[in-house]
């Protein structure tokens, strides 16, 4: 069975995404909004976190209430652009560990080239959310997930901001066990494997490198 694709169409997310798409949005605002969108998406992507009962005394009465059952999480941004989503997630889950995987797309072949990897030592015991704003051909995210599975991780989710149908098909084929969380699924890829209409080059817009 294929992984589920969760298209998060909350009005706040859609409004913020439209600001990202605008070519006139500057680097400061772009960076802030990538982080905010990641935080809002994280709210949905963690909806299935297990809870346990805890005893607490309020100023009025004692009671049994819910608290997170201490599930261990890790987030893994795909460098560079995934870095822009890290702070937003850590705002909600400050105790998450952070692994890093460096991949770039070869401009000719559009295939991912790995250049860096550093994971928390106990990554195999953690649920992992892989972060990358753009899921275009899906090559980078699929390679990153394969790599992370190589450490023994079995519970992996992928969080993007914009996906192309081609990228979603790639993840569903290569990793049918992985659910995808995304704020929009756009129309298609262009001849350079950029998402149309998309938002341009996410890494360049986050880091101001173009
Ligand atoms: C972008 C983006 C993804 C990848 C998506 O990264 O952040 O990692 O392309 O494309 P794909 O789905 O076709 O693999 P890029 O290679 O431009 O590197 P950068 O983040 O360093 O800018
Ligand atoms: N990488 C990006 O940053 N943008 C795209 O549209 C495709 C790949």
């Amino acid at each position: 069975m294929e992984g589920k694709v969760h298209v998060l169409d909350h009005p706040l997310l859609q409004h913020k995404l439209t600001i990202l798409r605008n070519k006139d949005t500057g680097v400061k605002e772009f960076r802030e909004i990538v982080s905010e969108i990641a935080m809002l998406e994280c709210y949905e992507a963690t909806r299935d976190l297990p809870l346990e009962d805890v005893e607490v005394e309020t100023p009025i009465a004692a009671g049994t209430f819910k608290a997170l059952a201490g599930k261990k999480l890790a987030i893994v941004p795909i460098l560079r652009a995934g870095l822009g989503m890290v702070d937003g997630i850590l705002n909600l889950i400050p105790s998450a560990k952070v692994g890093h995987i460096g991949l770039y797309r070869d401009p000719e072949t559009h295939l991912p080239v790995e250049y860096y990897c550093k994971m928390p030592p106990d990554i195999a015991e953690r649920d992992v959310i892989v972060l990358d704003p753009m899921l275009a051909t899906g090559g980078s995210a699929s390679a990153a997930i394969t790599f992370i599975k190589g450490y023994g991780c079995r519970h992996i989710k992928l969080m993007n901001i914009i996906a192309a149908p081609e990228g979603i098909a790639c993840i569903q084929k290569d990793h049918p066990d992985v659910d995808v969380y995304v704020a929009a699924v756009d129309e298609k890829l262009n001849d350079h494997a950029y998402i149309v209409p998309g938002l341009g080059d996410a890494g360049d817009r986050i880091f101001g490198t173009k």
Side-chain angles (χ1 to χ4, degrees), residues 9-186:
D9 58 358
H10 191 286
L12 286 175
L13 268 171
Q14 296 307 307
H15 178 83
K16 288 175 190 297
L17 178 54
T18 298
I19 299 172
L20 288 191
R21 289 185 187 280
N22 188 332
K23 66 179 174 38
D24 295 326
T25 298
V27 64
K28 175 176 180 290
E29 195 181 7
F30 192 92
R31 201 180 281 153
E32 287 168 358
I33 291 179
V34 166
S35 181
E36 288 172 8
I37 289 179
M39 186 167 70
L40 292 167
E41 288 194 55
C42 179
Y43 187 78
E44 269 309 308
T46 52
R47 184 172 280 285
D48 59 354
L49 281 180
L51 294 170
E52 63 187 6
D53 287 340
V54 293
E55 310 296 322
V56 167
E57 284 186 33
T58 80
I60 309 298
T64 306
F65 303 100
K66 298 291 179 195
L68 288 173
K71 189 144 196 119
K72 289 170 144 192
L73 291 176
I75 55 176
V76 179
I78 301 178
L79 307 183
R80 292 174 301 166
L83 286 175
M85 300 172 78
V86 169
D87 284 353
I89 309 273
L90 292 180
N91 280 340
L92 284 188
I93 319 175
S95 59
K97 296 270 177 75
V98 184
H100 293 86
I101 181 157
L103 296 171
Y104 71 87
R105 285 198 325 181
D106 182 286
E108 301 297 324
T109 64
H110 306 142
L111 293 174
V113 181
E114 187 205 322
Y115 62 89
Y116 184 77
C117 182
K118 182 85 182 174
M119 295 292 156
D122 60 352
I123 187 83
E125 296 153 33
R126 293 179 176 266
D127 284 7
V128 174
I129 305 177
V130 177
L131 308 175
D132 195 326
M134 308 306 276
L135 183 67
T137 64
S140 303
S142 179
I145 292 167
T146 301
F147 204 79
I148 294 163
K149 284 181 175 173
Y151 282 82
C153 298
R154 286 295 162 259
H155 298 109
I156 300 174
K157 292 175 177 172
L158 173 63
M159 187 187 293
N160 308 111
I161 295 180
I162 303 180
E166 293 89 334
I168 287 178
C170 170
I171 298 301
Q172 289 188 321
K173 176 172 149 291
D174 293 354
H175 301 288
D177 53 318
V178 171
D179 279 9
V180 179
Y181 293 80
V182 65
V185 179
D186 277 7

Side-chain angles (χ1 to χ4, degrees), residues 105 134 136 193-195 200-202:
R105 285 198 325 181
M134 308 306 276
Y194 271 78
I195 299 175
D201 189 304

